[in-house]
Amino acid sequence: MSVRSAGRWGLVAQFPAPLIARFARNKLAVGGLLVVALFLLFCFVGPTLHSTDQIHTDLTQVNLHPSGAHWLGTDAVGHDELGRLMYGGKVSLLVGLAAGVLATVIGTLWGSVAGYAGGWVDAVMMRVVDAGIAIPALFILLVVSAITTPGVPGLILILGLVSWLVPSRLVRAETLTLKSRDYVLTLRAIGGSHSRAITRHILPNSVSTIVVAATFQVADAILLVAYVSYLGLGVQPPSTDWGGMLSAGLTAAYSGRWWLIVPPGLAIILVVCAFNAVGDGLRDAFDVRGRG
């Protein structure tokens, strides 16, 4: 394989089977992937099998205990809690996945340009990142949510714009290493453009860093939207997410209605831990240093 093709496609494209095999050896990561898949099915396919009305209230079905008719009981306005868990999970996962991808895309572009350009351009761009990291993302979310009432698209945009800083630093570090490789230097020597060097060589060879960063960003985004919704500043009724369900069920939990707080709390914990486990597994699978 030529230097050019090796630079363009990287290790992942050349050896997908060993990559999958290394990931499969990590039982915790495989378990995390299975949990993520099950929750995606539960939240996006489940409502077609367990159809419930999550818009209108039914005061004749308020605060019912779990039973055959309502497996997880009902809430304070008569919504079926199992259906609500699916409905809220769909919002949480959609926002988390979309915001994680958006943050990774922005961070990847910013970090690759900063690392490749170097010099004063890199210095200025990374000082912007340092300034952004100094401000807690949760604080920014609370301020924005207090000013406006974001819907799902607004939450995705806000989370994406406050979460790209860490991926940008990771991709920049990878770019600083890759830009001195022979295939990049050869491209520049024959008159190749900077954009071609980044899109054809730098980014494909940074795919391991990008993919791993994306999984962690999704987990962080799900936690952030849960924080904001728990404080009552997330998506507004009749829409909800797992954080909003926790906030709504907190008072009821003191009255013994555990089914209003335990299921969404467990869902958040399981999904976040699952994405983190998948991220750890991908990081180990991509890391071939020291392997025989």
Side-chain angles (χ1 to χ4, degrees):
M1 179 174 288
S2 66
V3 172
R4 177 178 178 180
S5 60
R8 178 174 179 178
W9 299 111
L11 293 174
V12 178
Q14 293 179 51
F15 307 113
L19 175 68
I20 296 173
R22 288 195 296 270
F23 181 84
R25 285 197 293 268
N26 189 325
K27 303 305 180 184
L28 186 60
V30 173
L33 186 61
L34 180 60
V35 169
V36 170
L38 289 175
F39 268 101
L40 288 174
L41 289 173
F42 175 75
C43 296
F44 289 91
V45 179
T48 64
L49 304 176
H50 182 73
S51 180
T52 59
D53 184 358
Q54 297 296 326
I55 303 298
H56 303 95
T57 61
D58 185 355
L59 298 182
T60 65
Q61 301 290 315
V62 172
N63 293 327
L64 296 180
H65 285 73
S67 64
H70 302 283
W71 290 5
L72 291 179
T74 62
D75 63 11
V77 293
H79 291 143
D80 179 83
E81 190 70 3
L82 178 60
R84 199 112 183 115
L85 192 66
M86 297 176 182
Y87 186 74
K90 184 185 296 185
V91 175
S92 293
L93 289 174
L94 179 62
V95 172
L97 288 168
V101 170
L102 178 60
T104 304
V105 169
I106 297 174
T108 296
L109 294 175
W110 189 277
S112 60
V113 171
Y116 185 81
W120 68 268
V121 175
D122 179 36
V124 170
M125 294 180 71
M126 296 317 295
R127 294 300 77 74
V128 173
V129 172
D130 292 339
I133 291 178
I135 305 174
L138 183 58
F139 174 76
I140 298 175
L141 283 171
L142 291 176
V143 171
V144 174
S145 298
I147 296 173
T148 183
T149 303
V152 171
L155 274 178
I156 293 172
L157 182 61
I158 294 170
L159 286 170
L161 292 177
V162 301
S163 303
W164 61 271
L165 302 168
V166 172
S168 71
R169 298 185 74 170
L170 296 174
V171 174
R172 170 187 175 267
E174 191 74 12
T175 302
L176 289 174
T177 301
L178 293 173
K179 73 176 185 178
S180 60
R181 297 289 177 85
D182 290 340
Y183 46 81
V184 177
L185 297 177
T186 300
L187 176 67
R188 297 297 303 131
I190 62 177
S193 64
H194 296 302
S195 61
R196 184 178 180 86
I198 292 175
T199 58
R200 294 297 186 91
H201 298 283
I202 301 295
L203 293 183
N205 280 279
S206 302
V207 66
S208 60
T209 300
I210 296 169
V211 170
V212 172
T215 58
F216 290 124
Q217 286 304 308
V218 171
D220 290 344
I222 292 174
L223 274 180
L224 282 173
V225 72
Y227 293 154
V228 174
S229 296
Y230 179 78
L231 297 174
L233 300 174
V235 293
Q236 300 301 306
S239 296
T240 190
D241 56 60
W242 288 333
M245 292 178 67
L246 279 177
S247 179
L250 182 60
T251 303
Y254 293 109
S255 302
R257 296 192 288 274
W258 57 267
W259 60 88
L260 298 181
I261 193 169
V262 172
L266 283 176
I268 293 172
I269 293 172
L270 287 174
V271 169
V272 171
C273 289
F275 272 108
N276 284 330
V278 171
D280 287 336
L282 288 172
R283 181 181 59 200
D284 293 342
F286 279 114
D287 186 7
V288 297
R289 290 174 297 180
R291 299 183 186 274

